[in-house]
């Protein structure tokens, strides 16, 4: 919750500053690397050597879980603080471990999307839709749908919309009606082209080598599948139910409202039940043949509905249809190794700030967004190929050692908060999770190791200290952003942003 007495703009600026400072610590490792024995380079061979010695295993059929052999309690409680006392850390966390007999180690590599992926996406998500040429003229039904949206916008007549002159909306409607009158009644169907094209000189997205299929069920709405092969560490497959909603996809609020802890008065929650939406997402994953993926995160999110109107000179300008943000569900899926899922966090792993590593490599994730009409948008980032199960079971550090590392390293990692002269901070850790993570091998850009790690989640509260911000109070909720990631095999600290 935010409590503030004073100017709203100043409050927002201060809140943004605190959030940015935290993100900078995650993105750039802004603090100096401490002279501590547990902070050392990620020697993959050494991790493997330690990991396969005396592996940790349990008999899950008899009701045991992985907490038992590492002597982890049901709940972790400890307190610590920075040297100056400006950062207080309170850990009162539930401890979660996978329902598995052991934690594996696996070697993975980048996998390129291929025509089979394109065909699979099309068959499952577009079904019997009519494929059309992406360069063809829009149909009359397409333009009439845009007219309908604009008329609904004009009828709604919210205060925000009144800023857009009615004559401007009418001008755009008349232009669209004229185009509809001269447009074909329907699209000409063509055979789907599953091949990848390469356009390195393209100044517009998508870049590099990509496949693109445009289709329609009703000649009104155009659905889109875009599959991009590796382009500077980025490869992804996308499905867009309505290709005209690209701006809404770009405004999907996946993390900000979650971190704020609320959505605001302009949020319109979906009417679909979340369990129903989750089942739709899981069924879609199975239909796509991706049984090796598991839902490892879910949340409410929102987008802002937009429309185009013609300004003076006939230029199309994008405007909000209203001030409401349309709610939908987001489900996050990650790969399982030996039935143990990779832990989901918001970090993408796409950065180039460390010269010692070959190139960025995004973490593999699948995001499925569902609104009241069904699947709105799907994005699958950076597919992996499991090259080798190095070990079905790895050695796990005793939890007492993990606890000591946590207590010692948190104040060091967030030393910049402890030395902040404008704000004081309280970090509350409420969840400790054992899971899998892909780490990058040094000087090898397309190969990595999936290993067990501990992640810690919770909230970060801040208060103003100086006279001008003395009434500032704020709490950010980091449900899917880990405060610290600890290698469960050797206790080294892993930077999730950098991927090592």
């Amino acid at each position: 919750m935010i409590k503030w007495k004073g100017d709203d703009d100043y409050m927002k600026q201060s809140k943004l500053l605190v959030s940015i400072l935290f993100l900078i610590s995650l993105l750039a490792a802004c603090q100096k690397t401490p002279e501590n024995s547990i902070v050392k380079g990620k020697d993959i061979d050494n991790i493997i050597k330690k990991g396969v010695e005396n592996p940790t295993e349990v008999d899950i059929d008899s009701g045991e879980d992985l907490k038992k052999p590492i002597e982890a309690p049901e709940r972790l409680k400890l307190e610590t603080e920075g040297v100056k006392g400006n950062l207080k850390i309170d850990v009162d966390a539930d401890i979660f471990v996978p329902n598995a007999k052991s934690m594996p180690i696996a070697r993975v590599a980048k996998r390129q999307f291929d025509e089979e992926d394109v065909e699979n996406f099309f068959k499952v998500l577009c079904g019997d839709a009519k494929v059309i040429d992406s360069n063809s003229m829009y149909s009359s039904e397409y333009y009439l749908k845009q007219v309908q949206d604009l008329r609904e916008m004009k009828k709604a007549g919210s205060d925000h919309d009144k800023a857009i002159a009615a004559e401007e909306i009418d001008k755009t409607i008349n232009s669209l009606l004229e185009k509809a009158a001269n447009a074909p009644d329907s699209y000409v169907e063509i055979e789907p082209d599953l091949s990848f094209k390469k356009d390195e000189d393209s100044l517009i997205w998508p870049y590099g080598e990509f496949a693109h299929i445009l289709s329609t069920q009703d000649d009104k709405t155009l659905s889109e599948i875009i599959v991009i092969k590796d382009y500077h560490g980025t490869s992804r497959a996308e499905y867009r139910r309505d290709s005209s909603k690209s701006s809404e996809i770009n405004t999907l609020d996946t993390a900000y409202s979650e971190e704020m802890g609320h959505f605001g008065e302009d949020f319109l929650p979906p009417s679909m039940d979340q369990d129903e939406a989750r089942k739709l997402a899981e069924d879609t994953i199975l239909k796509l043949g991706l049984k090796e993926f598991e839902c490892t995160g879910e949340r409410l999110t929102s987008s802002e509905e937009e429309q185009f109107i013609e300004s003076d000179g006939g230029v199309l300008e994008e405007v909000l249809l209203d001030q409401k943000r349309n709610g939908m569900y987001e489900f996050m899926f990650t790969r399982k190794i030996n039935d143990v899922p990779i832990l989901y966090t918001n970090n993408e792993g796409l950065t180039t700030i460390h010269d010692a590593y070959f190139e960025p490599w995004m973490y593999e994730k699948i995001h499925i967004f569902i609104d009241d009409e069904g699947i709105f948008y799907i994005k699958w980032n950076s597919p992996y190929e499991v090259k080798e199960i190095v070990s079905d079971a790895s050695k796990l550090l005793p939890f007492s050692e993990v606890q000591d590392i946590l207590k010692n390293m948190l104040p060091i990692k967030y030393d910049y908060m402890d030395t902040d002269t404008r704000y004081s901070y309280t970090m509350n850790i409420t969840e400790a999770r054992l899971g899998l993570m892909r780490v990058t091998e040094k000087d090898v850009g397309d190969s990595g190791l999936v290993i067990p790690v501990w992640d810690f989640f919770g909230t970060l509260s801040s208060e103003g200290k100086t006279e001008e911000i003395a009434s500032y109070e704020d709490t950010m909720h980091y449900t899917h952003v880990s405060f610290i990631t600890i290698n469960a095999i050797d206790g080294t600290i892993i930077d999730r942003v950098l991927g090592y």
Side-chain angles (χ1 to χ4, degrees):
M1 294 290 294
I2 302 174
K3 298 178 181 178
W4 181 265
K5 300 174 183 178
D7 184 73
D8 287 342
D9 290 336
Y10 192 81
M11 174 200 75
K12 292 176 182 177
Q13 293 171 6
S14 300
K15 178 179 183 60
L16 182 61
L17 175 62
V18 173
S19 182
I20 288 173
L21 285 173
F22 176 68
L23 291 174
I24 285 174
S25 76
L26 297 174
L27 289 169
C30 60
Q31 69 282 350
K32 181 180 178 181
T33 302
E35 299 296 330
N36 190 301
S37 61
I38 66 171
V39 181
K40 40 185 178 271
K42 304 300 178 294
D43 184 331
I44 296 297
D45 291 336
N46 193 46
I47 290 175
I48 293 174
K49 182 179 178 181
K50 286 186 176 181
V52 299
E53 294 176 353
N54 302 316
T56 304
E57 297 183 85
V58 295
D59 182 4
I60 57 175
D61 293 333
S62 65
E64 291 182 348
D65 67 17
L66 287 167
K67 293 177 187 174
K68 183 177 180 180
I70 62 174
E71 299 181 339
E74 290 299 317
R75 195 165 191 85
L76 171 61
K77 293 188 177 184
L78 65 86
E79 292 182 357
T80 187
E81 62 181 27
V83 174
K84 296 182 178 296
N86 195 55
L87 169 63
K88 308 289 185 183
I89 300 172
D90 181 19
V91 181
D92 187 359
D94 291 316
I95 299 176
F96 298 93
V97 298
N99 182 28
K101 67 178 182 179
S102 61
M103 298 296 289
I105 301 174
R107 194 180 299 277
V108 296
K110 289 182 181 179
R111 179 178 79 79
Q112 295 292 342
F113 285 115
D114 55 29
E115 291 186 10
E116 185 177 343
D117 295 310
V118 181
E119 182 178 20
N120 198 28
F121 253 55
F122 175 71
K123 285 183 175 180
V124 172
L125 300 170
C126 299
D128 58 355
K130 178 168 58 178
V131 179
I132 65 172
D133 186 341
S134 59
N135 295 316
S136 63
M137 291 179 60
Y138 288 127
S139 71
S140 58
E141 292 291 343
Y142 178 88
Y143 288 117
L144 292 175
K145 182 177 181 294
Q146 309 304 310
V147 170
Q148 181 183 356
D149 289 343
L150 280 172
R151 284 173 173 166
E152 290 177 357
M153 167 185 171
K154 184 179 177 181
K155 184 178 179 181
S158 67
D159 290 339
H160 179 78
D161 298 331
K162 289 176 183 176
I164 305 167
E167 56 266 25
E168 291 180 347
I169 300 177
D170 289 337
K171 179 181 177 182
T172 303
I173 288 174
N174 291 334
S175 175
L176 290 170
L177 288 172
E178 183 178 344
K179 291 177 180 178
N182 296 313
D185 292 336
S186 62
Y187 295 100
V188 176
E189 185 172 8
I190 63 172
E191 287 296 315
D193 181 1
L194 309 177
S195 65
F196 286 78
K197 295 89 177 170
K198 195 167 187 179
D199 187 1
E200 295 179 343
D201 297 326
S202 176
L203 298 178
I204 60 173
W205 183 86
Y207 305 103
E209 196 171 352
F210 65 92
H212 182 218
I213 298 179
L214 201 62
S215 64
T216 182
Q217 295 276 5
D218 56 9
D219 287 319
K220 298 179 183 180
T221 302
L222 301 182
S223 298
E224 192 172 31
I225 288 173
I226 303 171
V227 182
I228 304 174
K229 288 191 176 182
D230 189 51
Y231 184 80
H232 297 302
T234 301
S235 60
R236 63 183 179 271
E238 296 188 20
Y239 163 75
R240 304 177 179 210
R241 186 181 66 209
D242 187 341
S243 63
S244 70
K245 304 294 186 183
S246 295
S247 295
E248 291 176 47
I249 290 172
N250 293 335
T251 64
L252 281 171
D253 176 13
T254 57
Y256 183 67
S257 292
E258 177 182 67
E259 293 176 2
M260 294 277 289
H262 62 86
F263 287 89
E265 295 180 356
D266 60 346
F267 177 72
L268 291 174
S271 59
M272 181 185 292
D273 180 77
Q274 189 160 344
D275 290 338
E276 180 184 354
R278 185 188 309 107
K279 185 177 186 308
L280 174 58
E282 291 174 339
D283 287 348
T284 302
I285 288 292
L286 291 177
K287 289 177 182 178
L288 287 168
L290 302 174
K291 61 181 180 179
E292 69 275 22
F293 283 80
E294 182 174 309
C295 183
T296 50
E298 58 187 72
R299 57 191 165 203
L300 277 172
T301 185
S302 65
S303 68
E304 294 177 330
E305 190 173 359
E306 299 181 334
Q307 184 56 273
F308 290 94
I309 65 168
E310 281 193 21
S311 63
D312 292 337
V315 179
L316 288 176
E317 289 187 351
E318 205 164 26
V319 297
L320 297 180
L321 279 177
D322 52 43
Q323 288 182 296
K324 300 297 183 182
R325 290 183 296 123
N326 301 311
M328 62 183 75
Y329 300 108
E330 178 188 7
F331 298 93
M332 298 83 89
F333 291 80
T334 54
R335 182 178 295 273
K336 295 184 292 184
I337 306 291
N338 283 8
D339 281 333
V340 179
I342 292 175
L343 194 64
Y344 175 85
T345 71
N346 289 343
N347 302 117
E348 297 289 357
L350 190 62
T351 183
T352 57
I353 68 173
H354 199 300
D355 293 337
Y357 288 76
F358 184 75
E359 65 177 13
W361 181 12
M362 294 184 77
Y363 298 122
E364 182 181 37
K365 305 172 187 176
I366 301 176
H367 298 259
I368 299 183
F369 295 85
I370 294 176
D371 61 13
D372 290 334
E373 296 180 37
I375 296 174
F376 174 71
Y377 175 58
I378 296 179
K379 180 171 69 173
W380 178 7
N381 282 338
S382 189
Y384 295 160
E385 178 184 0
V386 180
K387 304 292 287 187
E388 175 191 8
I389 302 297
V390 177
S391 178
D392 290 322
S394 58
K395 175 186 177 182
L396 300 178
L397 282 176
F399 192 78
S400 59
E401 293 187 30
V402 176
Q403 179 175 327
D404 289 342
I405 294 168
L406 177 72
K407 185 175 183 178
N408 291 332
M409 291 305 300
L410 275 175
I412 295 175
K413 180 176 181 181
Y414 295 99
D415 176 66
Y416 73 96
M417 292 185 183
D418 194 44
T419 57
D420 194 334
T421 58
R422 289 169 53 81
Y423 299 93
S424 60
Y425 301 89
T426 300
M427 184 182 295
N428 290 282
I429 293 179
T430 56
E431 285 189 7
R433 290 189 175 272
L434 176 65
L436 295 177
M437 176 190 174
R438 187 216 76 209
V439 293
T440 307
E441 295 194 68
K442 192 174 189 297
D443 298 325
V444 180
D446 57 1
S447 178
L449 205 65
V450 176
I451 63 171
V453 298
W454 284 99
D455 280 288
F456 299 86
F457 306 91
T459 63
L460 179 66
S461 300
S462 54
E463 295 183 11
K465 291 167 59 176
T466 62
E467 183 176 351
E468 60 179 344
I469 55 173
S471 57
Y472 175 89
E473 295 181 10
D474 179 37
T475 297
M476 300 294 285
H477 300 255
Y478 293 108
T479 308
H480 293 105
V481 177
S482 178
F483 284 110
I484 193 168
T485 301
I486 300 174
N487 186 328
I489 294 174
D490 64 10
T492 55
I493 304 303
I494 298 173
D495 189 321
R496 277 192 167 272
V497 177
L498 298 176
Y500 50 83

